[in-house]
Amino acid sequence: MDANRTYHADVVVIGAGVAGCAVARELARWDVRTCVLEAGNDLACGATRANSGIVHAGYDPEPGTNKARFNVEGSRLYPQWADELGFPYIRNGSMVLAFSEEDMVAVRRLEARAKQNGVKGVRVVDAAEAYRLEPSCGPGVTGALVAETGAICDPYQVALACAEQAVEHGADFHFNEPVTSVRPVAEGGPANEAPARWVVAAATGLRVVARAVVNAAGVFSADINNQVSACKLAIVPRRGEYCLYDTEYGGAFARTMFQAPSPAGKGVLVTPTVHGNMLVGPNAVVQLNKTDVSTTAEGLCFVLDAARKTWPYAGKPGMISNFSGLRATGAGDGDFVIGEPDDAPGFFNVACFDSPGLTSAPAVAAFLAGRIAEQLGAAPNAAFVPTRRVRKAFADMDEEERAAAIAADPRMGHVVCRCRDVTEGEIAAVLHGPVPALSLDAIKWRTGAMMGRCHGGFCMPEIARIVAAETGVSPSELDKRGVGSPLVSAARPDYRQVAAAAGVAGAPGAAAGAATPGAPAAPGPAAPAVWDVAVVGGGAAGIAAAVSAAREGARVVLVDREKKLGGILKQCVHSGFGLHRFGEELTGPEYAAREIKALAEHCAQGAVAVFDGASVESVDRPAQAGGPLTVHVMAPSGVHRFRTRTVVLASGSRERGIGAINVAGSRPSGVFSAGSAQNLMNMQGCLPGRRVAVLGSGDIGLIMARRLASQGADVVGVFEIMPHPSGLRRNIVQCLDDFGIPLHLGTTVVRLEGEGRLSAVITSKVDPETLAPLPGTERRVACDTLLLSVGLIPENEVAKSAGVALDLVTGGACVDNHLVTSVPNVFACGNALHIHDLVDHASAEGSVAGVQAARAALGRREAKGAARDVPVVAGEGVRYVVPQRIDVAASSGEAVRLSLRVTSVLENPRFVVEAVDKSGETRVVKRVKARVAVPAEMVQIPLRVDDLGPCESLRVIAGESARPRIRGAVATAGGGAE
């Protein structure tokens, strides 16, 4: 670029959405120099990033329009483009549901239109066939249109693939360059005798002189066109809002499910995504603002209500995010505007490019590139290679491919994002890729990290550290989304040096295990062919399990994701741990050090091998009954398989994110799970924010409120949706009362505000029975940070891989009194089993699991899994009970401890354990009284198995009198830290 910031090109493309990137890719076929200007700091900052990802078959557009022409041709090209460029694409087909005779008329009209548009594989089916093809359809379906050529893709990856291939062939991309003017300059004579020459100016002072301009500016394309042509355009932005569900729900439908169009609109769609999620939406709301992509409570409610017609399940459970995008709908006939205006030769529009723009992009790009090349007299590019070099995602590799990838780059063995199996090597690759990643969200969209069920709660702090180590950009300089959205308010001055010197986990040459005293880096040559016990997770419960198993004489391997054992304890620098287990008050790191010291003794004796900095991907059940299980592990040292007689699952928990509670508004930086903020602050020396609101009164949130206040932040309040706190009572006193931080019960956050960084939250009182926000009680609370402490969820992806049955209430495994799951020889404990408010209890539970796993492995008892055990049922006033069953036959003479949570605050509660016989008659086994019981604090009731007597089940009830009386609303189990 010249010193005066003037750049010369043959073609300048305005906009790096899917249209602009596709045009740049097709121009690479010709001997032209292409420059792409993008106002945002990444690709696909507009409609491309936030749409349905549907490749439409082409039956919907009106015949004879640009939409019909380019939709059908684009749909035909997509399989070829996916093969050449390597972006995710699945031809899953689509279905348009009818729920009435009027709908069937509309469906048959679409079938006729499909024939006019030349779309193959479209047919009408009756209700029976519709339900046979898609059994999850809601009631009342009368028939459907089936289109075999409908498909889904990842729109961002389409744009990225096109951009990278364009760059590899010489194109230049310039970000943060909003175009302010486009004007023609005559060259060498009258415009009708020579090619037009254009000057495109950006707000930064950059000027690009080009022979042709492609206007692919999305909702701003009319503004660009109207500077150069008397053929004026007008664009009406239409906001479309979506709700995204966890991959657990992605199998509900195979096809993309539409609703028959009616005078009221087209309804909303329900579709799987190429990444295995389920997506519902959008609505269509006209707005004047061309940049506001905030969601609204009303819009999200409309989307869910409309989606339930197709998918009755649609609601908050399973949701991990909501978002919205803007469609650039043209005023007038609503058709695409493609090509040159009559009065502006050399200026090519891709304007009014709303749905099916994504589908049409390949066809439009090929058409325009050909016209531009013809006008410029450009020769074909003999060096053009249509296929793109694609690095296969680690998540999609088999074990042999993973082993090869790790051998080439050990960072590929460090799984950073556990939800999507994204590695440090992949993150490093995009940071140094052909198109720069300039924000945290750019990394997210390119790798999939932070897009899973925890939405960055686990991996975001680690990714920030990797960015600093790789690029020198600290978290206070790293934008989350657009310019002006820094991840944190402040980072320690030497953050970059510390991140680089720390040897980011999995870096080439880094040795796993070095941080654990006395523990070998990995099981060495002396390791047994079959271990007695494999423990998954190195937090409090996992360490305790390994120690207790070793004390029983078992050979144990403990596998943990992190380089240093201790789990969340490492970042809990406050005191309050260990009173039950060690009889004194310790900080989290001190508690972890005590446990690690005990473990190190067994490591030194060769009874335990610790394999840290490694990720357990799955557990395979034995091919034959009684055979060993296989634990599959990925690490910087390679791919490992541990054969073991028993497995203890101690994989901990994850936090609920903002998407799980469906808060409306913008998507600014400054929104953290409490645990992420704790990691950034206590382990990385960052200040998350200066004016902080906390949503939820779980223990980590309360502790972080105190920690932030002690460091000078203004904590404006803690907002709890329930009528009672969900954290421990002592934390309410020590963290809020002692620091003058207000607690607002029966209050929630309903909306976020902020263009880049969070600027305010809107709170609302809630109905005490339904917990729905009460209109008219909204209050704007100015803040730059929101911490979420809205509950923990057991982390059980490894359990699912083994086929372990999970409890619908706790989210953890269903176990017996020996902590055996439904799978023989697989045990569960700690927060992976159910959420604990005291780490001492998690350790005690881990000790039980380790003992029982060792005894089963050594043949001292049979860990048989689910059998004819006595079920334990949560009765009135009780939310859940663990264990869910008691193995009476194998437990004679043993004690059992029932762990439970109540559904509401109870004063002077009485707990009754009843034995229920075949006829339904009950017999009291035990009564326990207490002064108070709250949902935040676990209740434990000890029993003797021999006292149960003959019974069909046990039932535990709780109330404030002999006859249980329940007050208040149902509470979720929260906490997890002291």
Side-chain angles (χ1 to χ4, degrees):
M1 188 177 298
D2 298 337
N4 63 0
R5 303 245 319 143
T6 298
Y7 182 89
H8 292 267
D10 294 310
V11 185
V12 58
V13 179
I14 303 172
V18 70
C21 291
V23 170
R25 186 257 179 168
E26 286 301 288
L27 285 170
R29 296 179 182 274
W30 304 93
D31 188 15
V32 296
R33 186 177 183 187
T34 302
C35 168
V36 180
L37 301 182
E38 168 56 44
N41 65 351
D42 190 22
L43 304 166
C45 287
T48 301
R49 181 171 296 189
N51 67 58
S52 308
I54 306 303
V55 180
H56 293 272
Y59 55 75
D60 187 57
E62 183 178 344
T65 61
N66 279 334
K67 285 188 175 183
R69 169 190 173 185
F70 290 114
N71 182 347
V72 174
E73 177 61 11
S75 180
R76 186 189 68 80
L77 285 173
Y78 252 92
Q80 175 187 335
W81 275 47
D83 287 343
E84 291 177 347
L85 295 172
F87 56 77
Y89 168 85
I90 300 173
R91 180 165 280 183
N92 65 321
S94 61
M95 184 180 287
V96 183
L97 296 177
F99 294 91
S100 66
E101 276 306 311
E102 290 80 6
D103 285 351
M104 286 301 297
V105 171
V107 162
R108 293 188 184 98
R109 189 161 49 243
L110 290 176
E111 182 187 32
R113 184 172 283 185
K115 293 178 180 177
Q116 289 179 279
N117 289 341
V119 181
K120 306 295 184 182
V122 177
R123 70 187 192 279
V124 174
V125 300
D126 61 16
E129 179 67 2
Y131 281 117
R132 186 188 70 79
L133 294 173
E134 295 291 352
S136 296
C137 288
V141 172
T142 57
L145 180 83
V146 176
E148 300 297 341
T149 58
I152 52 179
C153 68
D154 181 333
Y156 184 94
Q157 290 292 331
V158 177
L160 177 63
C162 290
E164 288 190 344
Q165 192 179 50
V167 169
E168 288 170 358
H169 287 84
D172 294 311
F173 277 70
H174 301 275
F175 297 101
N176 300 314
E177 298 288 357
V179 171
T180 55
S181 69
V182 181
R183 60 183 178 86
V185 177
E187 178 185 35
N192 61 353
E193 295 180 5
R197 191 170 180 84
W198 299 89
V199 177
V200 178
T204 62
L206 173 66
R207 297 169 70 251
V208 181
V209 180
R211 299 167 65 195
V213 175
V214 176
N215 172 25
V219 292
F220 295 99
S221 56
D223 302 330
I224 301 296
N225 171 86
N226 295 348
Q227 293 186 39
V228 303
S229 175
C231 302
K232 302 302 182 185
L233 300 178
I235 284 178
V236 179
R238 293 183 185 271
R239 183 180 71 248
E241 295 163 275
Y242 296 87
C243 295
L244 182 69
Y245 287 82
D246 190 2
T247 52
E248 184 177 345
Y249 305 90
F253 294 96
R255 295 167 180 78
T256 297
M257 308 300 294
F258 298 94
Q259 297 170 1
S262 70
K266 296 183 179 180
V268 303
L269 62 84
V270 178
T271 182
T273 72
V274 290
H275 302 297
N277 304 89
M278 190 61 69
L279 181 68
V280 303
N283 54 358
V285 181
V286 174
Q287 65 181 45
L288 297 177
N289 192 301
K290 294 183 179 180
T291 60
D292 183 7
V293 290
S294 300
T295 56
T296 65
E298 298 79 12
L300 296 173
C301 183
F302 170 85
V303 165
L304 293 176
D305 285 345
R308 277 189 279 270
K309 191 174 183 181
T310 299
W311 186 33
Y313 181 85
K316 282 188 181 181
M319 195 182 300
I320 62 173
S321 185
N322 67 59
F323 62 92
S324 75
L326 297 180
R327 284 163 275 178
T329 302
D333 63 8
D335 199 9
F336 295 160
V337 177
I338 307 296
E340 297 169 284
D342 292 338
D343 57 349
F347 180 90
F348 295 84
N349 273 314
V350 187
C352 307
F353 204 54
D354 60 356
S355 180
L358 172 64
T359 308
S360 305
V364 168
F367 168 74
L368 288 183
R371 292 289 299 272
I372 292 167
E374 180 181 7
Q375 187 177 107
L376 300 185
N381 179 7
F384 178 75
V385 178
T387 56
R388 168 175 163 254
R389 295 188 299 273
V390 181
R391 186 173 185 172
K392 192 173 185 179
F394 187 82
D396 297 331
M397 297 179 185
D398 59 30
E399 284 196 351
E400 184 177 341
E401 292 170 322
R402 290 182 171 187
I406 295 169
D409 181 358
R411 293 174 300 180
M412 291 295 287
H414 175 219
V415 177
V416 176
C417 174
R418 63 187 71 178
C419 300
R420 294 285 298 271
D421 259 356
V422 180
T423 70
E424 181 183 342
E426 291 174 298
I427 293 167
V430 303
L431 290 171
H432 303 294
V435 181
L438 304 177
S439 68
L440 197 65
D441 275 9
I443 298 168
K444 176 177 76 173
W445 285 94
R446 296 182 195 200
T447 66
M450 303 174 285
M451 295 185 77
R453 58 181 55 87
C454 84
H455 238 61
F458 279 132
C459 58
M460 180 271 291
E462 180 66 10
I463 292 172
R465 183 160 39 207
I466 292 170
V467 171
E470 291 286 338
T471 69
V473 177
S474 77
S476 58
E477 302 165 327
L478 176 64
D479 282 320
K480 177 192 177 292
R481 196 170 181 85
V483 174
S485 62
L487 180 60
V488 299
S489 292
R492 55 188 292 174
D494 60 345
Y495 185 95
R496 291 181 291 249
Q497 293 82 0
V498 170
V504 176
T516 303
V530 180
W531 296 86
D532 295 318
V533 181
V535 179
V536 180
I543 296 173
V547 169
S548 65
R551 287 173 178 163
E552 290 288 317
R555 293 292 305 275
V556 183
V557 59
L558 185 154
V559 185
D560 190 50
R561 293 178 178 273
E562 301 186 32
K563 290 175 66 178
K564 186 175 181 180
L565 299 182
I568 197 173
L569 290 166
K570 299 192 299 293
Q571 64 192 51
C572 297
V573 298
H574 53 281
S575 61
F577 301 86
L579 287 172
H580 294 268
R581 190 161 176 83
F582 298 114
E584 59 180 300
E585 194 171 27
L586 304 171
T587 66
E590 289 171 340
Y591 185 103
R594 292 279 184 96
E595 297 284 30
I596 291 171
K597 181 179 179 181
L599 179 68
E601 295 175 2
H602 295 283
C603 292
Q605 297 166 7
V608 179
V610 174
F611 197 26
D612 50 21
S615 299
V616 174
E617 294 291 298
S618 62
V619 173
D620 290 347
R621 298 164 74 165
Q624 297 180 345
L629 299 110
T630 303
V631 180
H632 297 262
V633 179
M634 303 296 152
S637 57
V639 174
H640 304 268
R641 301 179 188 90
F642 298 146
R643 300 175 73 224
T644 179
R645 295 182 177 88
T646 63
V647 171
V648 176
L649 300 172
S651 46
S653 61
R654 58 183 170 88
E655 297 173 277
R656 286 187 175 90
I658 193 72
I661 54 178
N662 206 26
V663 174
S666 56
R667 299 172 66 82
S669 65
V671 180
F672 303 93
S673 70
S676 292
Q678 189 179 52
N679 183 304
L680 287 166
M681 193 167 188
N682 294 347
M683 298 186 70
Q684 300 197 39
C686 297
L687 182 65
R690 302 187 186 278
R691 185 173 172 84
V692 183
V694 180
L695 175 59
S697 58
D699 289 301
I700 303 177
L702 298 176
I703 289 161
M704 281 306 297
R706 176 180 64 185
R707 179 84 169 104
L708 284 158
S710 71
Q711 295 301 305
D714 179 13
V715 181
V716 297
V718 174
F719 303 91
E720 169 59 55
I721 194 171
M722 301 303 298
H724 49 75
S726 30
L728 292 170
R729 286 168 287 174
R730 73 162 184 249
N731 282 334
I732 300 296
V733 174
Q734 296 175 0
C735 300
L736 302 188
D737 297 349
D738 290 354
F739 283 79
I741 299 171
L743 172 62
H744 303 274
L745 297 174
T747 306
T748 191
V749 171
V750 295
R751 185 174 176 82
L752 308 180
E753 291 184 359
E755 287 292 324
R757 181 79 184 188
L758 181 71
S759 59
V761 297
I762 308 300
T763 66
S764 173
K765 293 287 187 181
V766 301
D767 183 285
E769 297 296 328
T770 66
L771 303 184
L774 294 173
T777 65
E778 297 85 1
R779 183 168 72 95
R780 186 179 187 274
V781 179
C783 58
D784 67 4
T785 303
L786 175 66
L787 299 192
L788 302 169
S789 186
V790 291
L792 302 174
I793 303 170
E795 181 66 18
N796 271 309
E797 292 310 296
V798 175
K800 292 177 186 177
S801 74
V804 170
L806 302 182
D807 187 290
L808 295 177
V809 177
T810 66
C814 297
V815 296
D816 70 6
N817 52 305
H818 296 133
L819 302 183
V820 184
T821 70
S822 61
V823 177
N825 295 315
V826 176
F827 300 74
C829 61
N831 279 359
L833 179 58
H834 61 130
I835 302 304
H836 293 65
D837 42 274
L838 295 177
V839 71
D840 307 58
H841 291 165
S843 294
E845 200 170 73
S847 294
V848 172
V851 167
Q852 296 300 332
R855 290 176 180 176
L858 299 173
R860 299 175 191 161
R861 63 172 298 275
E862 180 185 4
K864 63 181 183 304
R868 285 190 52 81
D869 298 332
V870 174
V872 183
V873 179
E876 291 183 89
V878 177
R879 186 166 184 264
Y880 73 80
V881 184
V882 174
Q884 290 86 354
R885 62 184 193 275
I886 296 176
D887 182 358
V888 177
S891 305
S892 178
E894 293 183 8
V896 60
R897 188 176 297 273
L898 303 181
S899 298
L900 60 97
R901 290 185 187 271
V902 295
T903 59
S904 61
V905 177
L906 300 175
E907 300 291 343
N908 299 310
R910 174 178 295 177
F911 298 93
V912 180
V913 181
E914 300 176 331
V916 184
D917 65 18
K918 291 182 179 180
S919 65
E921 293 295 319
T922 63
R923 171 176 47 85
V924 173
V925 174
K926 189 162 187 175
R927 288 188 175 92
V928 177
K929 294 182 179 180
R931 287 186 300 173
V932 67
V934 297
E937 298 183 20
M938 187 185 300
V939 176
Q940 294 191 324
I941 301 175
L943 297 174
R944 301 291 303 179
V945 173
D946 292 347
D947 295 338
L948 302 185
C951 60
E952 290 296 303
S953 66
L954 285 183
R955 181 168 59 213
V956 184
I957 60 177
E960 292 182 338
S961 63
R963 180 180 176 83
R965 178 167 56 87
I966 310 306
R967 301 187 315 182
V970 174
T972 58
E978 292 137 290

